[in-house]
Amino acid sequence: KHSWRVMRDWAKLAGVEINFPSIYHPAKSIHAMRMACSLADDQVALKTFSKAAFESYFGAQENLDDPDVLVAVANKAGLNGEAMRTASQTDAVKALLRANTDEVIARGGYGSPTIFVDTDKMYFGNDQLPLVEATFLGKI
């Protein structure tokens, strides 16, 4: 009960909608992560898709594990969802996701969000975002 309240408080502070937990929790996010990896060379599109996927799951309580939902989410965000789905099924994108996962594990990461600043300073959790910002700005 406490965790859900704190999560709602963080969402309110961040100005994002949250309706959690949903009937789809916990969700497997493999399809969403692969679709995100399909955009690795376009950081603007990656940010757009990531934001839309989070809003879909945490705000609208849509099924993040359903590729059709993800295609619709991408399309609604102005991206080509079907092209992303096709790319997400390629060996190259699957290998990129595996490599990204292996890298974060090797660096000591253990969940999301894990954020590294200056390659070796690891922070975990949205509550540590002020520390990420301060480190990035050279204040600590």
Side-chain angles (χ1 to χ4, degrees):
K1 185 176 180 179
H2 172 77
S3 295
W4 302 136
R5 184 193 55 78
V6 170
M7 187 179 284
R8 285 190 300 274
D9 287 350
W10 273 111
K12 187 174 183 178
L13 183 65
V16 297
E17 181 183 0
I18 190 164
N19 295 304
F20 193 76
S22 79
I23 61 171
Y24 300 109
H25 179 73
K28 295 177 183 173
S29 56
I30 189 78
H31 298 296
M33 291 188 299
R34 285 179 181 165
M35 287 181 75
C37 282
S38 77
L39 300 171
D41 292 332
D42 184 345
Q43 292 295 295
V44 172
L46 174 57
K47 180 179 177 182
T48 298
F49 174 71
S50 298
K51 184 176 187 301
F54 272 85
E55 290 171 349
S56 167
Y57 182 67
F58 289 102
Q61 294 193 357
E62 296 175 324
N63 186 357
L64 198 65
D65 192 37
D66 183 338
D68 291 332
V69 168
L70 293 168
V71 167
V73 165
N75 289 341
K76 185 177 175 183
L79 303 168
N80 185 335
E82 198 54 55
M84 290 170 59
R85 180 200 326 236
T86 299
S88 75
Q89 296 169 350
T90 66
D91 289 340
V93 166
K94 291 177 183 180
L96 176 60
L97 178 56
R98 275 190 222 98
N100 289 347
T101 302
D102 290 344
E103 178 184 351
V104 78
I105 291 169
R107 294 174 72 184
Y110 51 87
S112 178
T114 297
I115 301 167
F116 291 92
V117 181
D118 296 333
T119 70
D120 61 340
K121 295 179 183 175
M122 184 180 81
Y123 297 96
F124 174 76
N126 67 307
D127 60 317
Q128 294 187 2
L129 289 175
L131 295 173
V132 170
E133 180 180 34
T135 302
F136 183 74
L137 295 174
K139 293 181 179 179
I140 57 174

